[in-house]
Amino acid sequence: MNEDGYFDAQVAANYDRTNATMFAPGAVTPAVEFLTGFAGDGRALELGSGTGRIALPLSRRGVPVHGIELSRAMTALLHAKPGGSAVQVTTGDFANTRVPGTFSLAYLVFNTINNLLTQQEQVTCFRTVAEHLEPGGSFVIEVVVPELRKLPPGERIVPLYANPTEWAFDEYDVATQSLSSNYVEVTESGAGYRSIPFRYVWPSELDLMAQLAGMRLRERWADWNRDPFTNESTKHVSVWEKLS
């Protein structure tokens, strides 16, 4: 793997386009409204700040945002956007990287907690966040509920999408709680394949990680609009509070 991890210059250049639905106002505005309420008058720490999908509009709302991002290519695109200079970004692995000062809010969106490939790394992430948070500060995570209910017995593949030039699928390994998202694209110059590994995590497992880090669950919703989290929810937005 290169120094930018799985998000090198080529991937970064196409990131906003390939995730266009996540950059639409309907996806961004509710998240920013939600996070602004927890930031209050304090600072926000984004783990995996990417190209600034959330950091930039949150900054425009008057919330000082500091990002941690492994991919220098993604950070370069963030800083090239209008208002990008207002968002300071530290290069590093967000599970371990420390930045100066304390924050009223830390957040991980769009399933980014799953980029940490071991349970220990995810536990370490919670502890690192707790060290950054002020007492009473909030840690917010948006992440999918593992889609194991879609797997027939003996199967490991969940299709994501397919069209004449692109198709994608997730491959699960329930024994190790790992999965990979796999993408195939056919262009005039040929075919390309990309695979990104993840470690999926359950809501109750995240609650235990928070407890180990000195936090407790404050809220859990099905989405940024605060719809109830139920047995049928496909993702959750969870908020943990630092106790002291």
Side-chain angles (χ1 to χ4, degrees):
M1 189 192 307
N2 62 38
E3 65 179 9
D4 285 324
Y6 292 93
F7 297 90
D8 59 17
Q10 182 177 356
V11 173
N14 294 300
Y15 184 82
D16 291 13
R17 176 186 63 82
T18 56
N19 294 282
T21 57
M22 296 303 298
F23 283 80
V28 172
T29 301
V32 171
E33 291 284 346
F34 188 102
L35 294 169
T36 299
F38 283 101
D41 297 327
R43 304 165 67 215
L45 178 66
E46 178 168 9
L47 310 183
S49 44
T51 64
R53 183 179 71 93
I54 300 298
L56 290 174
L58 191 60
S59 175
R60 288 194 290 268
R61 290 289 299 269
V63 178
V65 180
H66 191 125
I68 298 175
E69 173 59 54
L70 182 62
S71 171
R72 291 176 173 82
M74 300 281 273
T75 298
L77 290 173
L78 184 160
H79 284 155
K81 293 178 178 179
S85 60
V87 179
Q88 185 178 357
V89 179
T90 298
T91 301
D93 171 3
F94 64 75
N96 298 284
T97 301
R98 288 278 308 172
V99 303
T102 58
F103 300 82
S104 59
L105 168 70
Y107 62 94
L108 266 168
V109 299
F110 199 18
N111 310 315
T112 306
I113 186 66
N114 292 344
N115 286 90
L116 302 177
L117 300 182
T118 68
Q119 186 182 69
Q120 184 57 58
E121 286 181 301
Q122 292 171 346
V123 169
T124 299
C125 177
F126 271 80
R127 288 177 171 154
T128 300
V129 165
E131 292 174 359
H132 284 93
L133 285 178
E134 302 166 355
S138 300
F139 184 25
V140 179
I141 288 182
E142 175 199 27
V143 64
V144 295
V145 176
E147 297 187 298
L148 301 189
R149 294 169 64 183
K150 292 184 177 180
L151 288 175
E155 297 294 331
R156 299 177 59 173
I157 304 298
V158 174
L160 298 177
Y161 59 80
N163 59 54
T165 61
E166 299 174 305
W167 58 96
F169 61 91
D170 282 343
E171 183 174 8
Y172 283 82
D173 185 340
V174 297
T176 61
Q177 212 164 304
S178 61
L179 69 93
S180 63
S181 292
N182 303 274
Y183 305 90
V184 179
E185 182 176 11
V186 179
T187 66
E188 292 182 355
S189 58
Y193 170 74
R194 183 165 63 101
S195 181
I196 304 176
F198 300 100
R199 180 185 187 271
Y200 65 81
V201 62
W202 299 98
S204 58
E205 190 178 7
L206 291 170
D207 291 343
L208 182 56
M209 293 179 188
Q211 183 179 339
L212 292 171
M215 293 184 274
R216 66 181 175 191
L217 181 66
R218 178 172 175 178
E219 302 178 11
R220 174 164 290 135
W221 307 98
D223 52 40
W224 297 110
N225 295 314
R226 288 185 165 89
D227 289 324
F229 180 72
T230 71
N231 188 54
E232 299 303 318
S233 298
T234 58
K235 74 172 186 179
H236 63 98
V237 175
S238 297
V239 183
W240 298 273
E241 179 182 17
K242 182 176 178 178
L243 297 177
S244 62

